[in-house]
Every structure is written in C-alpha cells, then in structure tokens.
Amino acid sequence: MSPDPRPKFLQVILPVPRYQTYTYRLPETWRENPRPGQLLWVPFGRKKQIGMVADLRSEAPIGLEEIKEVLEPLPADYGLEPELWKLFQWATQHYLSPPGEVLRTFFPNSILKGKLDKGERARSPSPTIFSSQNGPVTLNPDQNRAVTLVKEHLGTFFPILLQGITGSGKTEVYLRLCDEVLARGGGVLVLVPEIALTPQMLSRFVDCFVDKVGTYHSAMTDTQRLQTYWGLKEGRQRIVVGTRSAACLPVKNLSLIIVDEEHDSSYKQEERFRYHGRDLAVVRAKMSKIPVLLGTATPALESRENVERGKYHFLKLPHRATAKAQLPKVHLVDLRRDRPHPDTLLSVSLREKLLLTLERKEQALFFLNRRGFAPFLLCTDCGEVVRCPNCEISLTMHKAVSRLICHYCDFYLPILEQCPACPSDQLQAYGSGTERIEESFQKAFPGVRIGRLDRDVAQSRKKTEEMLSQFETGKIDILIGTQLITKGHDFKRLTLVGILQADVTLNLPDFRAPERVFQIVTQVAGRAGRHELPGEVFLQTYRPEHYAITAAMAQDPEAFFVQERVFRKELSYPPFTRIIQLKLLGSRQDAVARASRKVADSIQTLMSRQKTVNILGPAPAIFERLRGKYRWQILIRSQHFESMRSCLVDNLPHLEQGLEAGVRLQVDVDPVGIF
Ligand code: ADP
Ligand code: ZN
Ligand code: ZN
C-alpha cells in the first residue's frame, strides 16, 4: 500500500444541532496536519466560528461547489486529548447525537465562543456552609475491603457497584481513595447528581483536599467553569466534584472515577445531547483502563443486573458506620383503613407520632412528590379543569405567587375567579401539593416552626442553603418537601420521617415507577436516625401490598431487585431489552403525524431483516402537546442493541434531511421516562 497523499480537506464539527459535519480546505501553507480533536477557526456564514477537526481527507465530497479554507488553528492544548477524542467519538455514535451537540458538552461555553484566555490561575474554592466535624476516621472492615479492592485495581478497568445504605460510610471510602490516588500523582473524577442539594458532600472534599478540588456544575458561571476546566487540564486541581457533564472534563492523569448515587435519574440529560453521565463515566473508565466506583443505597436495575451478568464487581456496606446510629424503624400506614386528614394528609397514627416528636423537641421531615398548592382547579358546576393552552395539562395552583402555573412550560395565569367554560364561580382547588401541606400544618400545629423545600423554593440557591441550614441548626421543627429533601443531608435531631403519599410516584405512567418509589422511599427513610437518636419512618400508601412498598419497608434492595427483574423480563423492558426513542415535534399536528408515519415506515424497511427488533408506534407521546409542540414517538426495542443502533447511525442524517419543514427529529438512546 502506498502512503496516503497529503490530505487537502477537513471534516469539521461545528457547535450546531445537525448530524452533518462541514468540509473545509486545508491551507497549503500549513506544515503540520491538524489531528482529530483539535480546535480551529473556520469561516461559517458571514462570521468565523470555532470548530473541531473530525477527519482529514485527500478528496472533497462529491457535489460540493465552493469549499472555504480553514482560518487558523488554536494552540494544541485547547483541543481534546486523544483519550477524550475517543470518548467523544463513542458518545456521538452511541447516543446517535449530532456531533455539534456533543461538542457543547465536552467544552466549556467560553472556549467555543472564542474567549481564549484561560481564566485567572489560582482561586479559592467555593465557600463552605457546613463545616465537617471530623478529621480522618478509622475505617471499619467493610470500608477497608472496598478501599483495598479499588487500590489493588488501579491501572486496570474495574467497575464496582458499592451498595451501602445511607450513613454506611461511602463518602469516607471515596475520600480515602482520593487520598491514595493523589499520593500517586493521579486525578479523580467524582460525579454527584446535584451539587446545590448536597453541599455537605462537597465541603467534605474541600476540607480534605482544599485547593486541589475543583467543582463543575450548571449553576456556575461560564468563567468559573472555565477556571475549573483549565485547573484540571493543567493539573493544578487534581480532583473534580461535578454533575453529569463533568464526566467529559480533562482531568490530568485520571486514575479513578467515582459516581455517587449512581441510580439518580438526574445523570440523564434530557435535551440536546441525551447522554447518561454514569454510563459515559463507565465507558471512559474502560477506555482509560481505570477503576470506576458506583456508589448507592438503591442500585439502578441496570447496574445491579450488570453484577448478575458478571460485568460489575459487587460490594456491600451493610451497616451504618457509627455504631450508635441505628437503622430507622419503618411503619406502614394503609390509607384505606387509617384515612388521611384531607388537608394535612396525616393519618391518625402519623399525627400522633408527630405530636410526640415535637414534644421531645426532635424534628420531623415530610415528603410529598408534588409541588405547588393543588394539582388542579376544577369547576364544580361543569367539571372543567383549567389547562395550559400549550400543553393541555392541568395548571397547578400556586397560592404564594397567586398563579396557576404549567409545570411543563411555565405558562401561567392569575388564579381565576370564574370558570373559563361556564359562568360559574364555583372553582375548587383539588388535591394537595407541598405548599398546601405547609399551610395546613401551620393551621394544625400553631407555634411550630415549619419550612418547605421544593423546586419553587430552590429557584434561589441561597434560599435552599438557608432552609437546609435552618433545619440543620434546629431553627425549624418540621421540613416539608419534594425529591429535593431526599438527597444526602445529615440532620442530627431528625427522628421522624413521613412519606405522605407514596402513590403519587407509584402511579406515574412509566415502567420505572416502582423503581423510583423504592429508591425515593429508601432515600427518604435514610434521613431518619442517622445519629444517636433512633429514627422512625411512616410510609403512607393506598397500595401496601405492592412489592416496591414491601421491599422499601424492609429496606431490602435485593428483594426489590428479584421482583422487579421478573416484571421487567416478562414485559421485555430494560435491562432485558434496550430502547431507542425517536420523537417528532412540530407545531402542526397533521405535519407531525405525517412525518412520524414516514419515519416509521423507513425504519420498518431499514430494520426489516432484523427479526429481534420490535417497533412500537408511531403514536402520540403520553403528553401529546408540550410547550406548544405536538409530539409523536416511535419506540424501537431490541435485545440486540448494536444491530438497531448501527442501522440508525448511518441513516439518521438522511431521515433528518427528508423531514418536512417545521418538524424536528430527536433521538433518545436508553430513555429515562418515556413521555
Ligand atoms: P454515606 O456516604 O454512605 O451516607 P458517610 O461516609 O457520610 O456515609 O458516613 C456517615 C457518617 O458516619 C459520617 O458522619 C461519617 O463521618 C461517619 N463515618 C463514616 N465512616 C466512619 C468510621 N469508619 N468511623 C467513624 N465514623 C464514620
Ligand atoms: Zn364551569
Ligand atoms: Zn404548558
């Protein structure tokens, strides 16, 4: 074979949401060929733009007329290292994502926008609000086993699922491992679901490693993120604690990846580049030949199944780390017998328990998976429910801001006095959200200090931190909240946890609903009795016999896994199949329906030779209209992921080009929540 002639053309990825790459001419004067992953300036439209080299070619693609020349390269250290370029390629191919969308996850905004200074060199890490009480602890035998196992496998790909109940000392294991890796000159990537909600976790890292730790998450400014990016790339920072997008950061000499709360659905990005931070992290570990530690109290079914299949090593931390802390006692409340109070949703038994708790000057936490005052406003004369004009979903009443708000598109109306469909003024707020619970508690327990934490409060990071620290320091007796309060907080005087209605989650139209319930209940329950005081949990439900409830009652992830596995297998759901979801969106219903049929037909033809592929739809999505767009979906399901993926990867650009104007195509590989 003769060596390739000198390449004259480049395929360049630009940060735009298209499947195609763009062809440019390589200037004759360039001495060196750019390498894939390198950044350069190119003319794009009337402006110049930063893009990334995907490929070099000796001939131009046929049919292109005028091909512009590349302007200039960026310094080599701005591009992706070979290792990350490999990960980038995998991500694009695996998630069937337009490469330009992936680009925007791999680079901080500032770089792609052409702000090329590297930010100030040194900076102090973010201020801590919780100071950690303890110095280094002596690890218990279970913790030691975990640390030793990881240490022994540094330098090889070694995925471990670490299943440890809340308070079992997982974070101590992470810290010890970081210490080890740092001592050997390596770097560590620590992924967490949401940083704003777990300031304690971050502060423990900062306490231990001070300015060697960087953070990376979406609440940071572009400049702050740029600082962490360069800090890691240039090795000034060796550890990064960040949310899902941190999985793509250029950590120097990366030697270990830790994914905390690996089951958490916020690792999945639901827009643009639809990747899963945990899965990307595992692939990165594989490519870099390093261990990856997945920690959780309630493993994702996929992860636990990987243990079953021998892909992941399995370790447990079965006990709470401090001998004094006992697992809480869990009581089941059958709401069919012990009816909830219509306003507070408290059953008689839970109410009694709460009064005792308050008497003892201890704290209580109540969980309800629904924010706002009431989920709908209903006309009791004609039955009309006030709905969002963009989404056709009922508007949630929010009393504090006097609005009816759509939880999907943020559309709002003032709270109506009169029915939109008839002359009646008999409008009633039906059902309860956290805001109503807070109000009812204030009426029912005068003098008791009550706080609330949900997305509405958490819009301000400051308010979130204030609320959490008030509860931590005992300035609040009762905290009411949604999912946000289930994360890793550690409250010393919290002894009572109430799950007001587990059914809100159990009845979601999603095959993962039982898994969610199990995880949420376990997480919430884990908040109680983490210190000297024993804790109790009350779980209220209308379906006490459901296996997700009974397993959660017993705090038994293995029991849940065994049953859920049977259910998934019978119905051919993941992890026994894989799903790729194609979604078509547009503002005209007929156009979306037509385009969906056309795409589904093409897919049928493309996959006709693959017997194991099962195509569902096209059909309107569960929420057919969201944010003013009609939405249809096609679900492709198969046990053989690679055959359906490879079939799509070559044809997506073509399918995209064939769409009629005004219709968009979105692809979601391994979707979480099929709405
Ligand atoms: P997890 O991350 O599993 O929820 P943590 O690592 O936060 O658990 O540990 C829970 C509490 O127990 C923390 O206050 C921690 O400092 C303490 N702890 C952890 N391991 C030990 C140990 N070996 N000895 C004493 N205290 C420990
Ligand atoms: Zn009416
Ligand atoms: Zn809406």
Side-chain angles (χ1 to χ4, degrees), residues 378-385 418-427:
L378 175 109
C379 170
T380 52
D381 282 323
C382 77
E384 176 84 3
V385 166
Q418 201 203 331
C419 172
C422 82
S424 168
D425 60 0
Q426 295 300 305
L427 294 177

Side-chain angles (χ1 to χ4, degrees), residues 109-156:
N109 238 332
S110 309
I111 292 189
L112 294 176
K113 282 197 208 140
K115 297 201 189 102
L116 298 183
D117 69 289
K118 295 184 178 178
E120 22 175 317
R121 292 287 150 150
R123 73 182 181 102
S124 52
S126 19
T128 61
I129 46 166
F130 293 93
S131 69
S132 101
Q133 58 284 52
N134 31 308
V137 297
T138 313
L139 297 185
N140 65 37
D142 293 315
Q143 289 171 315
N144 262 326
R145 240 168 0 115
V147 170
T148 309
L149 191 68
V150 176
K151 256 168 64 182
E152 282 170 1
H153 290 85
L154 288 172
T156 55

